[in-house]
């Protein structure tokens, strides 16, 4: 597997409490076990032009059970033609992104808001509560040596465009540096990409998410 993909997988496993990855000829398999929605995920080990049709077909072709996801670091418009019937492919590409981490001050917490940061089981989490006590923003990291995976970064819709996402990211970045990480890795949504790029992150590749449903007429994930 490419180094950056392995770093993302290793950190994601810690962040989500999933089983250790099992190496495959085309990448790795991770057993997740979060109900029937996300039982297992197959992750292709290559990125961009290195993603080969034969590998995608081999990984997808062995799947017969619902709740299995496939992650491939290439354009969904291309990967969608390789996975075969029974798969729902998200038409919106995600993005594998990285950043060089520096010890920067997170900045102040807005008046009336409350922030708390804590670490348990190798995962550091931070949350920001709104003045009424509801969740305004959150996120977590899983450092694994020199890299740290940033995961589940979220700002509630009513609290967006107030700098809370940036505060979460800078808080987590400082925590990652304090734990020895020098490179950050994350899988971004189209909505999150702009925030991360504004903080110095860069796109390494597109990311396709596909889910096996077993229903060739299913158009939803």
């Amino acid at each position: 597997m490419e180094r950056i993909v392995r770093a993302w997988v290793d950190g994601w496993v810690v962040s989500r409490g999933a089983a250790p990855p099992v190496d495959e000829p085309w990448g790795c398999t991770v057993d997740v076990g979060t109900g029937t929605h996300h039982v297992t995920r197959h992750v292709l080990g290559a990125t961009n032009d290195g993603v080969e049709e034969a590998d995608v077909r081999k990984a997808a072709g062995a799947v017969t059970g619902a709740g299995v996801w496939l992650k491939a670091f290439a354009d969904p418009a291309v990967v969608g033609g390789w996975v075969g019937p029974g798969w729902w492919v998200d038409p919106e590409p995600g993005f594998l992104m990285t950043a060089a981490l520096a010890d920067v001050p997170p900045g102040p917490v807005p008046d009336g808001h409350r922030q708390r940061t804590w670490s348990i089981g190798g995962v550091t989490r931070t949350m920001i509560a709104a003045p009424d006590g509801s969740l305004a923003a959150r996120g977590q990291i899983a450092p694994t040596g020199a890299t740290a995976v940033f995961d589940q970064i979220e700002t509630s819709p009513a609290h967006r465009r107030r700098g809370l996402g940036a505060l979460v990211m800078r808080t987590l970045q400082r925590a990652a540096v304090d734990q020895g990480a020098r490179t950050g890795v994350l899988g971004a949504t189209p909505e999150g990409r702009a925030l991360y790029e504004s903080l110095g992150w860069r796109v390494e590749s597109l990311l396709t998410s596909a889910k096996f449903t077993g229903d060739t007429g299913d158009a939803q994930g």
Side-chain angles (χ1 to χ4, degrees):
M1 298 181 72
E2 292 190 19
R3 180 187 60 82
I4 198 64
V5 176
R6 172 57 73 178
W8 182 67
V9 169
D10 288 345
W12 190 92
V13 163
V14 174
S15 179
R16 301 297 180 96
V22 176
D23 290 339
E24 307 281 3
W26 37 259
C28 69
T29 294
V30 178
D31 287 320
V32 183
T34 54
T36 58
H37 174 70
H38 199 165
V39 180
T40 298
R41 64 165 46 187
H42 298 317
V43 182
L44 276 292
T47 63
N48 299 308
D49 292 341
V51 179
E52 297 185 0
E53 178 178 357
D55 288 336
V56 173
R57 289 191 180 278
K58 186 172 183 180
V63 176
T64 57
V68 176
W69 287 80
L70 183 143
K71 302 288 181 174
F73 298 97
D75 191 333
V78 175
V79 176
W82 294 345
V83 293
W87 287 87
W88 171 83
V89 179
D90 190 341
E92 290 264 15
F95 305 93
L96 181 66
M97 303 184 71
T98 65
L101 302 179
D103 187 6
V104 297
V109 179
D111 290 344
H113 291 68
R114 173 174 54 86
Q115 184 177 24
R116 189 174 184 190
T117 303
W118 68 99
S119 298
I120 296 178
V123 180
T124 297
R125 296 174 170 85
T126 192
M127 64 158 283
I128 301 172
D132 65 359
S134 62
L135 179 67
R138 68 170 305 278
Q140 62 194 56
I141 55 166
T144 54
T147 58
V149 167
F150 288 60
D151 190 26
Q152 296 191 321
I153 312 299
E154 173 190 1
T155 302
S156 299
H159 300 279
R160 291 173 183 169
R161 292 181 172 79
R162 300 180 184 180
L164 298 181
L167 175 56
V168 165
M169 289 295 291
R170 288 193 295 263
T171 299
L172 294 175
Q173 178 168 317
R174 168 164 280 186
V177 170
D178 287 345
Q179 295 176 61
R182 295 295 175 264
T183 302
V185 186
L186 59 78
T189 63
E191 294 77 15
R193 176 182 176 179
L195 167 64
Y196 306 137
E197 287 184 328
S198 74
L199 296 172
W201 290 69
R202 69 177 188 181
V203 173
E204 300 290 347
S205 75
L206 296 178
L207 170 57
T208 292
S209 294
K211 179 184 179 183
F212 187 75
T213 65
D215 183 354
T216 58
D218 191 352
Q220 299 183 3

